[in-house]
Amino acid sequence: MDAVQNVKPHAFSAAQDYFDRLTKELPAFRISVDVDPLSDEISDNFSSFLPYRNEIIELVRAIARGPDNLRFGDALHSVFEKLLPTFQATRDSGRYREFDFDNYRFFARELFLYASAILIEEGRVDLLEILLRKPYYDHVRAEYGGLEVISYVAFDYSDRLLEFRNSKLRLNLSAPDVSLLKERSVGTGIRFEQLMEADFVLFLRSNLHRGEMIRGWYPRTLSALEFGHRAFTIFARARSKRDLDVLLKILGVESRAPLDELLQSFADKSLKSPTLGRGWQDVDVPRLAGFSELGTQS
């Protein structure tokens, strides 16, 4: 961490070493088939990943504030790619239940949101583009005859384990994974609203590039939005033409025409919007994107 933060000559190798060490320790978080899914052992498992998550947040922040070096983007991409095989059983998994790997899916989605939020905040469109444009290879899916190459939507999964606990323990949470994400965001230096903003960006980008993706990214965190929420920061700033150009790069489009067309489709209800809370009301996608104000200032 110090090597990256202080831009030492061996910063890149130090970051790679950390990511390699993390991926080697991933099997320690495997939920045993003998663990009661309603027990505190599950909560403890999710909590035990927090020190690793916090270190990765600080490392991504240091990378984002460091010199321009696309190799760091490739290193970040690689560590996410190495998370993919943990999402499902392998030939060596032994006995398991379908939701025994959902903690890994939660960890990966959480990390992806934080990485995206930090890179957006720090203006590192170059590194974000690597995470969002470069495909991910999943060798486990390949072995089972599935789609081995997939876009970043690979990290968008609902958590069946948390849903099961929510139902059986009668926690009455509208979105248990979102509630946990929000609870865990305290003290990270990243506001939960920034995670929602990143989630919204990933959602819009997946819709703008539907032909390149097997499905869209669903912005689960938006279920926590309050009614009448204003435009997210990067969209509010995009009133200026300069910041609009930055936004378009983040969304992976060369002109505003595709974005205008997409937002108009949500405005006239020809595309279904995500929902708030328990699904009683649609998210106002054009409002969150500041549609009517985009590029209106020089």
PDB file of all heavy atoms in Angstrom, residues 262-289:
ATOM      1  N   LEU A 262     -31.925   7.149 -25.171  1.00  0.00           N
ATOM      2  CA  LEU A 262     -32.182   6.231 -24.060  1.00  0.00           C
ATOM      3  C   LEU A 262     -33.024   6.903 -22.978  1.00  0.00           C
ATOM      4  O   LEU A 262     -34.028   6.333 -22.515  1.00  0.00           O
ATOM      5  CB  LEU A 262     -30.855   5.751 -23.467  1.00  0.00           C
ATOM      6  CG  LEU A 262     -30.963   4.848 -22.232  1.00  0.00           C
ATOM      7  CD1 LEU A 262     -31.604   3.514 -22.593  1.00  0.00           C
ATOM      8  CD2 LEU A 262     -29.592   4.623 -21.602  1.00  0.00           C
ATOM      9  N   LEU A 263     -32.635   8.098 -22.572  1.00  0.00           N
ATOM     10  CA  LEU A 263     -33.349   8.796 -21.509  1.00  0.00           C
ATOM     11  C   LEU A 263     -34.769   9.145 -21.936  1.00  0.00           C
ATOM     12  O   LEU A 263     -35.701   9.091 -21.118  1.00  0.00           O
ATOM     13  CB  LEU A 263     -32.579  10.047 -21.092  1.00  0.00           C
ATOM     14  CG  LEU A 263     -31.215   9.791 -20.434  1.00  0.00           C
ATOM     15  CD1 LEU A 263     -30.507  11.103 -20.129  1.00  0.00           C
ATOM     16  CD2 LEU A 263     -31.366   8.955 -19.162  1.00  0.00           C
ATOM     17  N   GLN A 264     -34.953   9.476 -23.211  1.00  0.00           N
ATOM     18  CA  GLN A 264     -36.303   9.755 -23.710  1.00  0.00           C
ATOM     19  C   GLN A 264     -37.166   8.494 -23.657  1.00  0.00           C
ATOM     20  O   GLN A 264     -38.368   8.558 -23.371  1.00  0.00           O
ATOM     21  CB  GLN A 264     -36.237  10.293 -25.139  1.00  0.00           C
ATOM     22  CG  GLN A 264     -37.586  10.751 -25.681  1.00  0.00           C
ATOM     23  CD  GLN A 264     -38.211  11.841 -24.824  1.00  0.00           C
ATOM     24  OE1 GLN A 264     -37.566  12.836 -24.490  1.00  0.00           O
ATOM     25  NE2 GLN A 264     -39.473  11.651 -24.464  1.00  0.00           N
ATOM     26  N   SER A 265     -36.533   7.346 -23.885  1.00  0.00           N
ATOM     27  CA  SER A 265     -37.273   6.074 -23.823  1.00  0.00           C
ATOM     28  C   SER A 265     -37.771   5.790 -22.410  1.00  0.00           C
ATOM     29  O   SER A 265     -38.864   5.251 -22.215  1.00  0.00           O
ATOM     30  CB  SER A 265     -36.385   4.914 -24.302  1.00  0.00           C
ATOM     31  OG  SER A 265     -36.062   5.058 -25.665  1.00  0.00           O
ATOM     32  N   PHE A 266     -36.976   6.166 -21.420  1.00  0.00           N
ATOM     33  CA  PHE A 266     -37.439   6.026 -20.035  1.00  0.00           C
ATOM     34  C   PHE A 266     -38.501   7.073 -19.719  1.00  0.00           C
ATOM     35  O   PHE A 266     -39.461   6.805 -18.987  1.00  0.00           O
ATOM     36  CB  PHE A 266     -36.262   6.149 -19.059  1.00  0.00           C
ATOM     37  CG  PHE A 266     -35.405   4.923 -18.978  1.00  0.00           C
ATOM     38  CD1 PHE A 266     -34.085   4.955 -19.425  1.00  0.00           C
ATOM     39  CD2 PHE A 266     -35.903   3.738 -18.465  1.00  0.00           C
ATOM     40  CE1 PHE A 266     -33.288   3.820 -19.351  1.00  0.00           C
ATOM     41  CE2 PHE A 266     -35.115   2.596 -18.386  1.00  0.00           C
ATOM     42  CZ  PHE A 266     -33.803   2.640 -18.834  1.00  0.00           C
ATOM     43  N   ALA A 267     -38.336   8.266 -20.282  1.00  0.00           N
ATOM     44  CA  ALA A 267     -39.294   9.346 -20.022  1.00  0.00           C
ATOM     45  C   ALA A 267     -40.676   9.013 -20.570  1.00  0.00           C
ATOM     46  O   ALA A 267     -41.698   9.289 -19.922  1.00  0.00           O
ATOM     47  CB  ALA A 267     -38.787  10.660 -20.623  1.00  0.00           C
ATOM     48  N   ASP A 268     -40.725   8.414 -21.767  1.00  0.00           N
ATOM     49  CA  ASP A 268     -42.038   8.117 -22.355  1.00  0.00           C
ATOM     50  C   ASP A 268     -42.519   6.694 -22.043  1.00  0.00           C
ATOM     51  O   ASP A 268     -43.496   6.221 -22.623  1.00  0.00           O
ATOM     52  CB  ASP A 268     -42.033   8.370 -23.868  1.00  0.00           C
ATOM     53  CG  ASP A 268     -41.021   7.492 -24.626  1.00  0.00           C
ATOM     54  OD1 ASP A 268     -40.644   6.420 -24.124  1.00  0.00           O
ATOM     55  OD2 ASP A 268     -40.591   7.910 -25.724  1.00  0.00           O
ATOM     56  N   LYS A 269     -41.793   6.031 -21.127  1.00  0.00           N
ATOM     57  CA  LYS A 269     -42.202   4.708 -20.607  1.00  0.00           C
ATOM     58  C   LYS A 269     -42.087   3.577 -21.618  1.00  0.00           C
ATOM     59  O   LYS A 269     -42.631   2.491 -21.405  1.00  0.00           O
ATOM     60  CB  LYS A 269     -43.651   4.746 -20.075  1.00  0.00           C
ATOM     61  CG  LYS A 269     -43.942   5.862 -19.086  1.00  0.00           C
ATOM     62  CD  LYS A 269     -43.157   5.722 -17.818  1.00  0.00           C
ATOM     63  CE  LYS A 269     -43.552   6.799 -16.806  1.00  0.00           C
ATOM     64  NZ  LYS A 269     -42.764   6.739 -15.559  1.00  0.00           N
ATOM     65  N   SER A 270     -41.379   3.810 -22.719  1.00  0.00           N
ATOM     66  CA  SER A 270     -41.190   2.705 -23.666  1.00  0.00           C
ATOM     67  C   SER A 270     -40.142   1.729 -23.143  1.00  0.00           C
ATOM     68  O   SER A 270     -40.053   0.586 -23.607  1.00  0.00           O
ATOM     69  CB  SER A 270     -40.795   3.233 -25.047  1.00  0.00           C
ATOM     70  OG  SER A 270     -39.619   4.020 -24.989  1.00  0.00           O
ATOM     71  N   LEU A 271     -39.328   2.170 -22.167  1.00  0.00           N
ATOM     72  CA  LEU A 271     -38.428   1.284 -21.442  1.00  0.00           C
ATOM     73  C   LEU A 271     -38.835   1.279 -19.983  1.00  0.00           C
ATOM     74  O   LEU A 271     -39.162   2.319 -19.413  1.00  0.00           O
ATOM     75  CB  LEU A 271     -36.975   1.756 -21.564  1.00  0.00           C
ATOM     76  CG  LEU A 271     -36.209   1.392 -22.831  1.00  0.00           C
ATOM     77  CD1 LEU A 271     -34.778   1.943 -22.752  1.00  0.00           C
ATOM     78  CD2 LEU A 271     -36.172  -0.107 -23.061  1.00  0.00           C
ATOM     79  N   LYS A 272     -38.815   0.105 -19.371  1.00  0.00           N
ATOM     80  CA  LYS A 272     -39.213  -0.046 -17.976  1.00  0.00           C
ATOM     81  C   LYS A 272     -38.105   0.448 -17.053  1.00  0.00           C
ATOM     82  O   LYS A 272     -36.948   0.054 -17.182  1.00  0.00           O
ATOM     83  CB  LYS A 272     -39.519  -1.519 -17.688  1.00  0.00           C
ATOM     84  CG  LYS A 272     -39.773  -1.849 -16.229  1.00  0.00           C
ATOM     85  CD  LYS A 272     -41.044  -1.212 -15.727  1.00  0.00           C
ATOM     86  CE  LYS A 272     -41.337  -1.640 -14.290  1.00  0.00           C
ATOM     87  NZ  LYS A 272     -42.469  -0.861 -13.709  1.00  0.00           N
ATOM     88  N   SER A 273     -38.461   1.300 -16.109  1.00  0.00           N
ATOM     89  CA  SER A 273     -37.496   1.833 -15.149  1.00  0.00           C
ATOM     90  C   SER A 273     -37.354   0.900 -13.948  1.00  0.00           C
ATOM     91  O   SER A 273     -38.274   0.136 -13.644  1.00  0.00           O
ATOM     92  CB  SER A 273     -37.951   3.211 -14.650  1.00  0.00           C
ATOM     93  OG  SER A 273     -38.012   4.145 -15.692  1.00  0.00           O
ATOM     94  N   PRO A 274     -36.212   0.944 -13.260  1.00  0.00           N
ATOM     95  CA  PRO A 274     -36.088   0.235 -11.984  1.00  0.00           C
ATOM     96  C   PRO A 274     -37.104   0.808 -10.993  1.00  0.00           C
ATOM     97  O   PRO A 274     -37.692   1.868 -11.234  1.00  0.00           O
ATOM     98  CB  PRO A 274     -34.651   0.538 -11.543  1.00  0.00           C
ATOM     99  CG  PRO A 274     -33.958   1.029 -12.767  1.00  0.00           C
ATOM    100  CD  PRO A 274     -34.999   1.691 -13.604  1.00  0.00           C
ATOM    101  N   THR A 275     -37.297   0.110  -9.883  1.00  0.00           N
ATOM    102  CA  THR A 275     -38.306   0.552  -8.924  1.00  0.00           C
ATOM    103  C   THR A 275     -37.694   0.947  -7.589  1.00  0.00           C
ATOM    104  O   THR A 275     -36.612   0.497  -7.217  1.00  0.00           O
ATOM    105  CB  THR A 275     -39.347  -0.553  -8.682  1.00  0.00           C
ATOM    106  OG1 THR A 275     -38.684  -1.755  -8.266  1.00  0.00           O
ATOM    107  CG2 THR A 275     -40.132  -0.836  -9.951  1.00  0.00           C
ATOM    108  N   LEU A 276     -38.414   1.800  -6.876  1.00  0.00           N
ATOM    109  CA  LEU A 276     -38.017   2.234  -5.538  1.00  0.00           C
ATOM    110  C   LEU A 276     -38.547   1.259  -4.490  1.00  0.00           C
ATOM    111  O   LEU A 276     -39.617   0.667  -4.668  1.00  0.00           O
ATOM    112  CB  LEU A 276     -38.578   3.627  -5.240  1.00  0.00           C
ATOM    113  CG  LEU A 276     -38.030   4.809  -6.045  1.00  0.00           C
ATOM    114  CD1 LEU A 276     -38.888   6.041  -5.786  1.00  0.00           C
ATOM    115  CD2 LEU A 276     -36.593   5.095  -5.660  1.00  0.00           C
ATOM    116  N   GLY A 277     -37.812   1.130  -3.385  1.00  0.00           N
ATOM    117  CA  GLY A 277     -38.303   0.380  -2.229  1.00  0.00           C
ATOM    118  C   GLY A 277     -38.810  -0.994  -2.585  1.00  0.00           C
ATOM    119  O   GLY A 277     -38.100  -1.810  -3.160  1.00  0.00           O
ATOM    120  N   ARG A 278     -40.052  -1.243  -2.274  1.00  0.00           N
ATOM    121  CA  ARG A 278     -40.654  -2.557  -2.528  1.00  0.00           C
ATOM    122  C   ARG A 278     -41.310  -2.658  -3.899  1.00  0.00           C
ATOM    123  O   ARG A 278     -42.137  -3.529  -4.146  1.00  0.00           O
ATOM    124  CB  ARG A 278     -41.678  -2.875  -1.427  1.00  0.00           C
ATOM    125  CG  ARG A 278     -41.046  -2.966  -0.043  1.00  0.00           C
ATOM    126  CD  ARG A 278     -42.063  -3.347   1.016  1.00  0.00           C
ATOM    127  NE  ARG A 278     -41.459  -3.366   2.333  1.00  0.00           N
ATOM    128  CZ  ARG A 278     -40.771  -4.371   2.842  1.00  0.00           C
ATOM    129  NH1 ARG A 278     -40.590  -5.474   2.120  1.00  0.00           N
ATOM    130  NH2 ARG A 278     -40.252  -4.308   4.055  1.00  0.00           N
ATOM    131  N   GLY A 279     -40.938  -1.746  -4.781  1.00  0.00           N
ATOM    132  CA  GLY A 279     -41.438  -1.820  -6.138  1.00  0.00           C
ATOM    133  C   GLY A 279     -42.722  -1.080  -6.377  1.00  0.00           C
ATOM    134  O   GLY A 279     -43.384  -1.270  -7.401  1.00  0.00           O
ATOM    135  N   TRP A 280     -43.091  -0.214  -5.448  1.00  0.00           N
ATOM    136  CA  TRP A 280     -44.360   0.502  -5.579  1.00  0.00           C
ATOM    137  C   TRP A 280     -44.260   1.696  -6.519  1.00  0.00           C
ATOM    138  O   TRP A 280     -45.274   2.220  -6.961  1.00  0.00           O
ATOM    139  CB  TRP A 280     -44.840   0.974  -4.201  1.00  0.00           C
ATOM    140  CG  TRP A 280     -45.121  -0.159  -3.272  1.00  0.00           C
ATOM    141  CD1 TRP A 280     -45.569  -1.406  -3.608  1.00  0.00           C
ATOM    142  CD2 TRP A 280     -44.965  -0.171  -1.846  1.00  0.00           C
ATOM    143  NE1 TRP A 280     -45.700  -2.197  -2.493  1.00  0.00           N
ATOM    144  CE2 TRP A 280     -45.336  -1.460  -1.382  1.00  0.00           C
ATOM    145  CE3 TRP A 280     -44.548   0.775  -0.913  1.00  0.00           C
ATOM    146  CZ2 TRP A 280     -45.311  -1.816  -0.047  1.00  0.00           C
ATOM    147  CZ3 TRP A 280     -44.529   0.407   0.424  1.00  0.00           C
ATOM    148  CH2 TRP A 280     -44.900  -0.865   0.855  1.00  0.00           C
ATOM    149  N   GLN A 281     -43.052   2.148  -6.815  1.00  0.00           N
ATOM    150  CA  GLN A 281     -42.908   3.324  -7.673  1.00  0.00           C
ATOM    151  C   GLN A 281     -41.644   3.209  -8.520  1.00  0.00           C
ATOM    152  O   GLN A 281     -40.616   2.698  -8.063  1.00  0.00           O
ATOM    153  CB  GLN A 281     -42.844   4.596  -6.827  1.00  0.00           C
ATOM    154  CG  GLN A 281     -42.859   5.861  -7.669  1.00  0.00           C
ATOM    155  CD  GLN A 281     -43.232   7.078  -6.834  1.00  0.00           C
ATOM    156  OE1 GLN A 281     -43.561   6.963  -5.668  1.00  0.00           O
ATOM    157  NE2 GLN A 281     -43.182   8.234  -7.444  1.00  0.00           N
ATOM    158  N   ASP A 282     -41.735   3.690  -9.747  1.00  0.00           N
ATOM    159  CA  ASP A 282     -40.584   3.637 -10.651  1.00  0.00           C
ATOM    160  C   ASP A 282     -39.570   4.723 -10.309  1.00  0.00           C
ATOM    161  O   ASP A 282     -39.925   5.823  -9.865  1.00  0.00           O
ATOM    162  CB  ASP A 282     -41.037   3.837 -12.100  1.00  0.00           C
ATOM    163  CG  ASP A 282     -41.789   2.645 -12.640  1.00  0.00           C
ATOM    164  OD1 ASP A 282     -41.722   1.567 -12.024  1.00  0.00           O
ATOM    165  OD2 ASP A 282     -42.468   2.804 -13.673  1.00  0.00           O
ATOM    166  N   VAL A 283     -38.293   4.400 -10.537  1.00  0.00           N
ATOM    167  CA  VAL A 283     -37.229   5.395 -10.441  1.00  0.00           C
ATOM    168  C   VAL A 283     -37.385   6.367 -11.609  1.00  0.00           C
ATOM    169  O   VAL A 283     -37.655   5.957 -12.742  1.00  0.00           O
ATOM    170  CB  VAL A 283     -35.847   4.708 -10.505  1.00  0.00           C
ATOM    171  CG1 VAL A 283     -34.737   5.733 -10.685  1.00  0.00           C
ATOM    172  CG2 VAL A 283     -35.612   3.879  -9.249  1.00  0.00           C
ATOM    173  N   ASP A 284     -37.237   7.645 -11.329  1.00  0.00           N
ATOM    174  CA  ASP A 284     -37.301   8.659 -12.379  1.00  0.00           C
ATOM    175  C   ASP A 284     -35.911   8.773 -13.019  1.00  0.00           C
ATOM    176  O   ASP A 284     -35.090   9.592 -12.619  1.00  0.00           O
ATOM    177  CB  ASP A 284     -37.732  10.000 -11.776  1.00  0.00           C
ATOM    178  CG  ASP A 284     -38.064  11.047 -12.844  1.00  0.00           C
ATOM    179  OD1 ASP A 284     -37.605  10.876 -13.997  1.00  0.00           O
ATOM    180  OD2 ASP A 284     -38.747  12.023 -12.524  1.00  0.00           O
ATOM    181  N   VAL A 285     -35.645   7.921 -13.990  1.00  0.00           N
ATOM    182  CA  VAL A 285     -34.326   7.851 -14.613  1.00  0.00           C
ATOM    183  C   VAL A 285     -33.911   9.182 -15.239  1.00  0.00           C
ATOM    184  O   VAL A 285     -32.785   9.656 -15.002  1.00  0.00           O
ATOM    185  CB  VAL A 285     -34.272   6.701 -15.656  1.00  0.00           C
ATOM    186  CG1 VAL A 285     -32.951   6.724 -16.421  1.00  0.00           C
ATOM    187  CG2 VAL A 285     -34.450   5.356 -14.952  1.00  0.00           C
ATOM    188  N   PRO A 286     -34.763   9.844 -16.034  1.00  0.00           N
ATOM    189  CA  PRO A 286     -34.349  11.131 -16.611  1.00  0.00           C
ATOM    190  C   PRO A 286     -34.000  12.176 -15.543  1.00  0.00           C
ATOM    191  O   PRO A 286     -33.066  12.965 -15.735  1.00  0.00           O
ATOM    192  CB  PRO A 286     -35.579  11.556 -17.422  1.00  0.00           C
ATOM    193  CG  PRO A 286     -36.249  10.269 -17.772  1.00  0.00           C
ATOM    194  CD  PRO A 286     -36.071   9.409 -16.556  1.00  0.00           C
ATOM    195  N   ARG A 287     -34.730  12.184 -14.431  1.00  0.00           N
ATOM    196  CA  ARG A 287     -34.445  13.154 -13.366  1.00  0.00           C
ATOM    197  C   ARG A 287     -33.080  12.884 -12.744  1.00  0.00           C
ATOM    198  O   ARG A 287     -32.299  13.814 -12.521  1.00  0.00           O
ATOM    199  CB  ARG A 287     -35.531  13.086 -12.297  1.00  0.00           C
ATOM    200  CG  ARG A 287     -35.322  14.062 -11.126  1.00  0.00           C
ATOM    201  CD  ARG A 287     -36.372  13.847 -10.043  1.00  0.00           C
ATOM    202  NE  ARG A 287     -36.148  14.716  -8.904  1.00  0.00           N
ATOM    203  CZ  ARG A 287     -36.685  15.919  -8.750  1.00  0.00           C
ATOM    204  NH1 ARG A 287     -37.472  16.416  -9.692  1.00  0.00           N
ATOM    205  NH2 ARG A 287     -36.428  16.640  -7.669  1.00  0.00           N
ATOM    206  N   LEU A 288     -32.776  11.620 -12.463  1.00  0.00           N
ATOM    207  CA  LEU A 288     -31.481  11.270 -11.866  1.00  0.00           C
ATOM    208  C   LEU A 288     -30.333  11.607 -12.812  1.00  0.00           C
ATOM    209  O   LEU A 288     -29.207  11.875 -12.366  1.00  0.00           O
ATOM    210  CB  LEU A 288     -31.439   9.781 -11.502  1.00  0.00           C
ATOM    211  CG  LEU A 288     -32.387   9.311 -10.404  1.00  0.00           C
ATOM    212  CD1 LEU A 288     -32.201   7.817 -10.154  1.00  0.00           C
ATOM    213  CD2 LEU A 288     -32.182  10.091  -9.113  1.00  0.00           C
ATOM    214  N   ALA A 289     -30.610  11.576 -14.108  1.00  0.00           N
ATOM    215  CA  ALA A 289     -29.592  11.895 -15.108  1.00  0.00           C
ATOM    216  C   ALA A 289     -29.576  13.376 -15.460  1.00  0.00           C
ATOM    217  O   ALA A 289     -28.771  13.793 -16.312  1.00  0.00           O
ATOM    218  CB  ALA A 289     -29.822  11.070 -16.369  1.00  0.00           C
TER     219      ALA A 289
END
